[in-house]
Amino acid sequence: MTSGHNISSAVDGDHLRAFVQRVEAVEATIKEEQEARKEIYQEAKSAGFDPKTIRKLVAMRRQDVAKRQEEEEILNLYLAALGME
Amino acid sequence: MTSGHNISSAVDGDHLRAFVQRVEAVEATIKEEQEARKEIYQEAKSAGFDPKTIRKLVAMRRQDVAKRQEEEEILNLYLAALGME
Amino acid sequence: MTSGHNISSAVDGDHLRAFVQRVEAVEATIKEEQEARKEIYQEAKSAGFDPKTIRKLVAMRRQDVAKRQEEEEILNLYLAALGME
Amino acid sequence: MTSGHNISSAVDGDHLRAFVQRVEAVEATIKEEQEARKEIYQEAKSAGFDPKTIRKLVAMRRQDVAKRQEEEEILNLYLAALGME
DNA sequence: TCAGATAAAATCGCGC
DNA sequence: GCGCGATTTTATCTGA
């Protein structure tokens, strides 16, 4: 018995630890890339661009065209219902 | 005139485009890493581990780090408040 | 016809308006409470305390609670994983 | 000396504690109201409305009209610069 | 005005 | 497919 438990189904600690570390490694990379993106936005701001608008642009390019149309349609329906058109 | 607008002081399209593309590049990397993480969880599941438990473990370790940082920060605040910095 | 549209199956404006107003009502309350909190911090500052330190304290106490919950959850996960639930 | 410190400028613990508790009290209220709002959205969904669209409506009503127009104008400039118009 | 904190909103993963 | 919780993204706010 390796570590004080007598249940054969006990957890393989080393194996588990390896998975946890691999997850933490990729999450570290993700965090780095997120900071890199933040710096790009700061750089754009220094260059005189509005970061908020750039975010919208990126989001628009991401967004599926059909989906966008559908959302706009629903929005217009609601606006009409409220007399805000 | 380059592209249908006659105000020379309008937005510098090439410069803007460069920023947008850089953002999209790092976001592509982020997406890749997120998928890598997803695969690790699948792999762990195949190895007989409960992904939910691993997520909790990772979250706890994250919290430990955050808590330690928080405590260190408040200690510094106290020291500063007492003029001991 | 009540407001310029002739499709009877359009959105029920009154019903929608009621939801919008209920949301805006609770958001007004939230805003009041947020201002109340802000005043408490100002009061503390007037009393000679460093608001930043108090914020850290509150954050730490929040984290303590979160951490305790997290630990309890993972304990339950482990128990379940070992068939001891 | 009340609690083991010999610095006259030491913190008044009871006073500090009172502030912390007052902050935590209003934050508890805020959390309650936030849940109330969530329930309203759920109710709206049950009534057949799209919560996401209602959120947009509420946001639009919050947002200053002039500001909204200005943001849209910047966005259009950028779109033109990218040839996305 | 600026970054850092806070809150709001959207998205994703998972179990039912 | 839906709700629910967790993560991520976006927006707002505050203090320096």
Side-chain angles (χ1 to χ4, degrees):
Chain A
M1 225 172 301
T2 50
S3 66
H5 278 291
N6 51 6
I7 316 175
S8 61
S9 73
V11 164
D12 179 347
D14 290 339
H15 203 179
L16 175 58
R17 191 187 322 273
F19 280 121
V20 168
Q21 286 173 350
R22 283 174 62 196
V23 168
E24 288 177 341
V26 309
E27 293 199 341
T29 303
I30 290 175
K31 188 150 294 184
E32 284 169 23
E33 295 298 313
Q34 286 169 338
E35 311 229 335
R37 175 176 46 187
K38 191 184 298 184
E39 285 171 25
I40 296 174
Y41 278 118
Q42 285 170 346
E43 204 181 322
K45 185 174 191 172
S46 302
F49 294 102
D50 175 29
K52 186 172 170 181
T53 308
I54 298 187
R55 284 179 193 280
K56 272 189 184 143
L57 280 174
V58 173
M60 283 176 67
R61 285 163 62 99
R62 233 192 328 248
Q63 195 178 24
D64 187 51
V65 176
K67 199 178 174 218
R68 192 158 72 235
Q69 286 175 343
E70 165 145 0
E71 282 176 359
E72 187 164 339
E73 202 156 330
I74 297 178
L75 178 60
N76 286 332
L77 273 178
Y78 284 14
L79 287 172
L82 291 179
M84 289 176 67
E85 50 194 334
Chain B
M1 227 169 301
T2 48
S3 66
H5 277 288
N6 50 7
I7 314 176
S8 61
S9 74
V11 172
D12 180 348
D14 290 338
H15 203 178
L16 175 59
R17 193 186 319 273
F19 281 121
V20 169
Q21 286 172 350
R22 283 173 63 196
V23 168
E24 288 176 341
V26 308
E27 293 198 341
T29 304
I30 290 175
K31 188 149 295 184
E32 282 169 23
E33 295 299 313
Q34 286 170 339
E35 311 234 334
R37 174 176 50 185
K38 193 186 302 181
E39 285 170 25
I40 296 174
Y41 279 118
Q42 286 169 347
E43 201 180 324
K45 187 172 192 174
S46 301
F49 293 102
D50 175 27
K52 196 170 178 178
T53 304
I54 299 187
R55 285 179 192 278
K56 280 285 171 217
L57 277 175
V58 173
M60 279 179 64
R61 286 163 62 102
R62 245 199 309 261
Q63 267 202 342
D64 283 345
V65 174
K67 195 164 184 298
R68 229 166 281 144
Q69 288 175 343
E70 201 92 78
E71 283 166 2
E72 188 166 338
E73 280 177 49
I74 205 167
L75 174 60
N76 289 332
L77 282 174
Y78 279 151
L79 290 175
L82 293 176
M84 299 175 67
E85 49 189 337
Chain C
M1 228 172 300
T2 49
S3 66
H5 277 288
N6 50 7
I7 314 177
S8 61
S9 73
V11 171
D12 180 348
D14 290 338
H15 202 179
L16 175 57
R17 193 187 318 273
F19 280 121
V20 169
Q21 286 172 351
R22 284 173 62 196
V23 168
E24 288 176 341
V26 308
E27 292 199 342
T29 304
I30 290 176
K31 188 150 294 185
E32 283 169 22
E33 295 298 314
Q34 286 170 341
E35 311 232 334
R37 174 176 48 185
K38 193 184 303 180
E39 284 169 25
I40 295 173
Y41 279 119
Q42 285 169 346
E43 200 180 325
K45 186 172 191 173
S46 301
F49 293 103
D50 175 28
K52 198 168 176 180
T53 305
I54 299 187
R55 284 179 193 278
K56 281 283 172 219
L57 277 176
V58 173
M60 278 180 64
R61 286 163 60 101
R62 246 199 309 263
Q63 267 204 340
D64 283 344
V65 174
K67 195 164 185 298
R68 227 166 283 143
Q69 288 174 344
E70 201 91 79
E71 282 165 2
E72 187 165 339
E73 280 177 49
I74 205 168
L75 174 59
N76 289 332
L77 281 174
Y78 280 151
L79 290 175
L82 294 176
M84 298 174 66
E85 49 190 338
Chain D
M1 223 170 304
T2 49
S3 65
H5 278 291
N6 51 7
I7 316 175
S8 61
S9 73
V11 164
D12 179 347
D14 289 339
H15 203 179
L16 176 57
R17 193 186 322 274
F19 281 120
V20 169
Q21 286 173 350
R22 283 173 62 195
V23 168
E24 288 176 341
V26 308
E27 293 198 342
T29 304
I30 290 175
K31 188 149 295 184
E32 283 169 22
E33 295 299 313
Q34 286 169 339
E35 312 232 333
R37 175 175 48 185
K38 190 184 300 185
E39 284 170 25
I40 296 174
Y41 279 118
Q42 285 170 345
E43 204 181 322
K45 184 172 193 173
S46 301
F49 293 103
D50 176 29
K52 187 172 170 180
T53 307
I54 298 186
R55 284 179 192 278
K56 271 188 185 143
L57 279 174
V58 174
M60 284 175 67
R61 284 163 63 100
R62 233 193 326 251
Q63 193 177 22
D64 186 54
V65 176
K67 200 180 172 206
R68 193 158 72 231
Q69 286 175 344
E70 164 146 1
E71 283 173 5
E72 190 162 338
E73 202 157 333
I74 298 178
L75 178 58
N76 287 333
L77 274 179
Y78 283 7
L79 287 173
L82 291 180
M84 288 177 68
E85 48 194 336

